[in-house]
Amino acid sequence: MCIFCSIVNNEIPSYKLYEDDDVLAFLDISQTTFGHTVVIPKKHVANILECDDETYAKLMKIVKELSGKIYQKTNAKGINILHNANEVAGQTVMHMHYHIIPRYDETDKLNITFAENHDKDIEKAYELLK
Ligand code: 5GP
Ligand code: ZN
């Protein structure tokens, strides 16, 4: 069984911040920044690429609610919402989750950079994706 399913089933302890019939939120063990939280559907689904609309809507409602609550309570200056889908994108636990990561300053432990791709072909991307 997957590690997050084990947390849902209380087989592995966690610091739960929110729970209803469909959604669970708990502190991420890494605490990349103070208050780093993951929000998951209780139902096992790998990620956004496989998630049904109803489960997704329920999950995102709680992501939004908790983001505001965590932002206020931690006195963070900002917040990142992150979802990794598949290994190549950094997903290590194959049970869907959104990270809520409060941000305190530019030198905290989360570092996301949108570097410019010098081989970019934006016309080709547009033709493919429009
Ligand atoms: P991913 O890299 O898949 O987007 O994120 C997985 C996250 O799950 C990581 O940030 C990692 O710290 C967290 N994690 C992995 N195992 C456990 C655990 O047993 N308990 C908790 N609370 N978090 C975990
Ligand atoms: Zn699972």
Side-chain angles (χ1 to χ4, degrees), residues 3-4 7 12 14 26-30 36 38 84 90-93 97 99:
I3 198 156
F4 284 1
I7 288 174
I12 294 177
S14 68
F26 52 93
L27 291 175
D28 189 296
I29 200 87
S30 71
H36 177 188
V38 284
N84 299 327
Q91 185 174 11
T92 59
V93 176
H97 53 282
H99 296 262

Side-chain angles (χ1 to χ4, degrees), residues 1-6 41-45 93-96:
M1 183 182 285
C2 103
I3 198 156
F4 284 1
C5 281
S6 298
K42 285 187 169 176
K43 174 176 156 182
H44 182 96
V45 52
V93 176
M94 295 307 291
H95 182 132
M96 183 166 180

Side-chain angles (χ1 to χ4, degrees), residues 42-61:
K42 285 187 169 176
K43 174 176 156 182
H44 182 96
V45 52
N47 56 46
I48 192 171
L49 302 171
E50 295 183 6
C51 188
D52 63 274
D53 290 352
E54 191 184 349
T55 300
Y56 191 72
K58 286 175 178 167
L59 184 69
M60 294 315 290
K61 182 172 184 288

Side-chain angles (χ1 to χ4, degrees), residues 109-128:
K109 296 285 186 186
L110 185 69
N111 184 9
I112 299 174
T113 308
F114 292 98
E116 188 171 346
N117 177 5
H118 296 294
D119 298 326
K120 71 185 171 194
D121 191 342
I122 200 167
E123 293 296 335
K124 185 178 172 188
Y126 179 66
E127 288 304 319
L128 178 68

